[in-house]
Amino acid sequence: MRISDKPLAERLKELGVELRAGVSLQEKTSLAIGGTTDELLLRNYDTIPQVMRLLADENIPYKFLGGGTNVLIADGELPWVILHLPTSHPGMRVEGNRAYVDASADLGGMVTFCAKHDLGGMEGLIGVPGSVGGALRMNAGAYGTQIGSYVREVELYRAAAGRIETVRGNDIRFDYRHTSFAPEDVMLRVTLELPSKPYKEILAGIRMCNEKRRASQPLNQKSAGCIFKNPAGGSAGRMIDELKLKGHRSGDAAVSDRHANFFINAGNASCADMLRLIDDVRERVRTAYGIVLENEVIVWKN
Ligand code: EPU
């Protein structure tokens, strides 16, 4: 979708929005899949409610893109614009056992920043790619750690109310890869409370998690992490592996040889290739195990 209306572009500029025309979302996602659209960089948090209202009044559909590491985006010219928070120099500071972090910060960067201030607990999250905001929204987790356990407060644009609000951690539900945030809400800042731990100890934990991850996941390939959620008490990766589907392909979309719940873009995969592979594998697992796997990756169809 293109914003060609000059007065609208001018109004957006006044609200602190930088308009980037015709951006390829292949370059913005870890899967390197996605079509083309205009990108609106929200440089001023305070005006976000006005920007949203303006887009609604002008009938411009939008989607908010975070780190782009857990999303599968449709091909071609997209029927919505992308909203994005600037990622350079995100705010991060520590006071006592609390860390105050902008949602646009890199998750791994936040873990190491806190570690340097002798605040631990999040070692398991070190290799999870993406932004702090994306991790919050999905309650990202690995190696026994979930970000939700440490959240004390979140500042967000609450879409239903059309304004910026602060929510206490206790009032947010954090479940397995799911939270009570609405899909349209935009995470802005988070306050975490973390246990004190000597830097060296945290570093040892980080190294251990990194090694485990390197040994079992295809880190150097284009993926969106695990494609399916694990079913209660089971493992999607193990089931797909047992069905001998490692290396199984649809076009350039392939089941990773290393971890069967990672689907990779092995060349020039389209969204259609990836969706076909996802449906094919889901169907095979359903036939063999009677379990319907639920997507972990977020799919934006056009
Ligand atoms: N397994 C296989 N073959 C495979 C993959 C896994 O047999 O190809 C077996 C493993 O040997 C193990 C079991 O399945 O016995 C579970 O595998 P693993 O320890 O790799 O964990 P997972 O359940 O597949 C989850 C998260 C990962 C997270 C790891 C580590 C989900 C969907 N996945 O994977 O998160 O990194 O645990 O804590 O919950 C993600 O969310 O995108 C993600 C990658």
Side-chain angles (χ1 to χ4, degrees):
M1 168 141 225
R2 305 305 167 104
I3 296 185
S4 46
D5 183 62
K6 284 243 170 65
L8 172 58
E10 201 46 48
R11 184 79 190 99
L12 285 167
K13 199 170 161 192
E14 284 163 18
L15 292 171
V17 176
E18 184 185 327
L19 180 60
R20 294 179 175 172
V23 171
S24 162
L25 299 187
Q26 276 183 347
E27 286 149 31
K28 304 255 168 206
T29 59
S30 56
L31 268 171
I33 293 176
T36 304
T37 189
D38 281 359
E39 179 188 17
L40 278 61
L41 206 57
L42 306 170
R43 292 208 175 273
N44 182 352
Y45 283 18
D46 298 339
T47 60
I48 289 177
Q50 287 158 272
V51 173
M52 301 303 200
R53 227 170 294 135
L54 181 60
L55 293 176
D57 289 348
E58 299 285 335
N59 291 315
I60 308 271
Y62 58 82
K63 289 188 183 286
F64 184 85
L65 183 69
T69 55
N70 195 37
V71 64
L72 171 59
I73 304 181
D75 308 310
E77 183 65 35
L78 301 167
W80 17 264
V81 297
I82 288 295
L83 307 185
H84 206 53
L85 295 174
T87 49
S88 52
H89 313 300
M92 276 197 261
R93 73 188 164 85
V94 158
E95 241 177 73
N97 282 66
R98 294 202 163 203
Y100 302 83
V101 184
D102 281 356
S104 61
D106 173 69
L107 181 63
M110 176 187 80
V111 175
T112 40
F113 176 82
C114 292
K116 283 178 189 157
H117 289 82
D118 298 311
L119 294 182
M122 298 189 294
E123 293 84 329
L125 293 175
I126 190 68
V128 176
S131 65
V132 169
L136 272 177
R137 147 174 309 292
M138 290 289 294
N139 190 20
Y143 305 112
T145 306
Q146 301 193 26
I147 192 168
S149 323
Y150 302 106
V151 173
R152 292 296 165 263
E153 221 166 69
V154 175
E155 193 185 343
L156 73 159
Y157 168 74
R158 175 84 82 191
R163 59 168 184 254
I164 292 175
E165 292 182 356
T166 301
V167 189
R168 286 185 317 163
N170 287 341
D171 295 328
I172 305 164
R173 263 197 75 149
F174 288 102
D175 297 321
Y176 167 64
R177 299 293 193 275
H178 187 266
T179 62
S180 51
F181 296 120
E184 305 78 25
D185 292 345
V186 179
M187 310 292 117
L188 298 176
R189 291 186 188 96
V190 64
T191 306
L192 303 156
E193 191 171 328
L194 300 160
S196 299
K197 232 190 209 186
Y199 178 54
K200 271 192 178 163
E201 234 174 82
I202 304 173
L203 211 58
I206 284 177
R207 288 215 175 101
M208 204 170 69
C209 291
N210 268 338
E211 271 164 39
K212 280 197 214 166
R213 197 179 285 280
R214 259 198 302 272
S216 63
Q217 300 183 359
L219 303 186
N220 299 325
Q221 284 172 299
K222 295 172 197 159
S223 84
C226 286
I227 281 285
F228 299 113
K229 291 184 188 178
N230 282 334
S235 161
R238 186 183 301 136
M239 288 189 286
I240 301 166
D241 194 359
E242 280 171 1
L243 293 175
K244 305 260 177 293
L245 292 173
K246 279 184 169 169
H248 184 60
R249 290 175 82 114
S250 166
D252 271 348
V255 177
S256 159
D257 286 327
R258 184 163 273 226
H259 192 300
N261 197 13
F262 279 65
F263 291 10
I264 58 165
N265 177 355
N268 211 0
S270 63
C271 179
D273 290 336
M274 196 54 82
L275 287 173
R276 227 176 293 118
L277 186 66
I278 292 172
D279 286 344
D280 181 15
V281 171
R282 193 188 339 263
E283 186 52 24
R284 287 169 192 255
V285 169
R286 190 190 66 77
T287 308
Y289 296 92
I291 291 172
V292 179
L293 293 177
E294 205 185 309
N295 286 355
E296 208 246 320
V297 67
I298 295 162
V299 180
W300 289 353
K301 294 188 183 168
N302 58 12

